[in-house]
Amino acid sequence: MFVFFLKKNFCRIWDNFFHTIFVNFPMMAISILGYFFCSRMAGIQEGTPLGGLTFMISVIICCMVWSILFLAEGENAASISKYDTPKYKVFLSQIPHCIKDGILLGLCHAVLILAVLISMPYYFKVWMPLDGSEGSITGLVMMACVFWVVVIASLALQWVLPIRSLMHNKFRKCLKKSFIIFFDNPLFSIGVALVNILNIVITLVSMGILDGPATIAITSTNALKLRLYKYDWLEVNPGLTKAQRKQVPWEDLLVKEKRLLGKRTFRSLIYPWKE
């Protein structure tokens, strides 16, 4: 199933390459401006409580703005996963409808970012003080706790956008379902996260031309779209044992998806009009 996900995801991103560029550019511009904004705020009265407060506020604001735009691309990502055509005007029209959920999602991301930037260094100093004095093992334990909370929450939060765009649930329900999907599919969630990490690397190298936030949205949505076939199958087969529930007949469940995607070759990707 994961191999087919990779194939479908690559083909659908390739087929909508120009759309992703037009969405990525404004989001990348905001990301860059946000980085410099946070850096500037961090330099104001550095080392003082006011300096730390301004930095935290700047991170929260940037995460909120970015999350609003990210969620606004959710409808197009859902269309792409369903083999429909995305529209740039849909991205623009969805922005006002994503303000509330974007603020909430931005807060979640900001908490995780600040936990890494503030809590981790603090507990590291508790464990290994910079002045050479004897540290406390409590610092190491707290670092481990923060680390795993951030990792698990990050893996779960990647499902919020696709749940919202495919199921149209309210944010609280999206958040709840995202953790349910993660704990029910931990290896699959890690696999999708690794693909998105690769997307981020390509984004940084290409400055958003070959990849970007829109591609990450499409990747997560394609992944959930395919994974939902498992839950449709479980719904029509309620009497399965725990062992049987693990034997998901993906070959049968993905027949329609494979037919819709069609036989894709390298030639068809470069010269689709010759196929």
Side-chain angles (χ1 to χ4, degrees):
M1 180 266 182
F2 194 79
V3 174
F4 177 74
F5 154 67
L6 293 176
K7 178 180 179 180
K8 175 185 176 179
N9 193 56
F10 177 80
C11 292
R12 295 307 293 149
I13 291 173
W14 181 270
D15 292 343
N16 298 278
F17 177 74
F18 291 107
H19 169 78
T20 60
I21 289 179
F22 285 119
V23 174
N24 286 335
F25 273 149
M27 294 192 68
M28 287 299 298
I30 290 176
S31 299
I32 294 172
L33 290 174
Y35 171 77
F36 286 109
F37 176 64
C38 291
S39 299
R40 177 64 176 171
M41 290 298 102
I44 297 178
Q45 298 188 25
E46 186 176 0
T48 66
L50 180 59
L53 180 61
T54 55
F55 172 70
M56 288 190 289
I57 292 175
S58 64
V59 170
I60 292 171
I61 292 174
C62 290
C63 286
M64 287 179 176
V65 174
W66 194 90
S67 295
I68 290 171
L69 296 180
F70 185 60
L71 291 181
E73 179 59 8
E75 291 299 319
N76 277 325
S79 296
I80 291 171
S81 72
K82 297 174 183 176
Y83 304 94
D84 293 330
T85 303
K87 297 179 181 179
Y88 191 71
K89 65 180 182 181
V90 172
F91 167 68
L92 296 176
S93 66
Q94 283 295 312
I95 293 176
H97 303 291
C98 296
I99 293 177
K100 179 181 177 181
D101 289 354
I103 289 174
L104 295 173
L105 181 61
L107 281 173
C108 294
H109 285 144
V111 168
L112 298 181
I113 292 173
L114 293 174
V116 172
L117 297 179
I118 298 176
S119 298
M120 293 290 279
Y122 172 77
Y123 288 123
F124 181 80
K125 292 178 182 178
V126 173
W127 176 41
M128 299 183 65
L130 298 179
D131 59 5
S133 60
E134 185 178 357
S136 172
I137 193 66
T138 303
L140 177 60
V141 173
M142 293 305 298
M143 279 181 61
C145 291
V146 172
F147 172 79
W148 284 113
V149 168
V150 170
V151 169
I152 292 173
S154 299
L155 290 171
L157 286 178
Q158 70 181 327
W159 299 121
V160 171
L161 179 142
I163 291 173
R164 184 179 185 276
S165 58
L166 292 173
M167 302 180 182
H168 300 98
N169 295 143
K170 293 185 180 298
F171 182 80
R172 184 176 180 180
K173 199 166 187 178
C174 289
L175 194 61
K176 179 181 178 180
K177 286 185 176 180
S178 67
F179 279 90
I180 292 174
I181 290 175
F182 164 70
F183 284 113
D184 192 40
N185 307 274
L187 293 181
F188 183 70
S189 297
I190 293 173
V192 175
L194 291 175
V195 175
N196 277 329
I197 290 174
L198 177 62
N199 287 332
I200 293 173
V201 172
I202 297 174
T203 298
L204 296 176
V205 173
S206 66
M207 293 301 295
I209 296 177
L210 298 179
D211 236 320
T215 305
I216 294 172
I218 295 169
T219 298
S220 297
T221 307
N222 278 329
L224 182 62
K225 174 72 164 52
L226 296 178
R227 207 63 179 180
L228 287 179
Y229 285 107
K230 166 187 172 181
Y231 296 100
D232 293 338
W233 173 71
L234 291 174
E235 187 175 350
V236 298
N237 296 277
L240 297 176
T241 64
K242 185 176 180 179
Q244 290 173 327
R245 288 167 63 91
K246 294 181 179 180
Q247 303 299 319
V248 183
W250 286 114
E251 287 297 323
D252 297 331
L253 298 179
L254 298 179
V255 169
K256 181 180 178 181
E257 285 281 342
K258 292 180 179 180
R259 177 175 57 81
L260 290 172
L261 183 62
K263 184 179 180 181
R264 304 300 295 268
T265 61
F266 182 77
R267 176 186 173 89
S268 68
L269 293 174
I270 306 300
Y271 307 107
W273 59 87
K274 292 187 177 182
E275 290 296 314

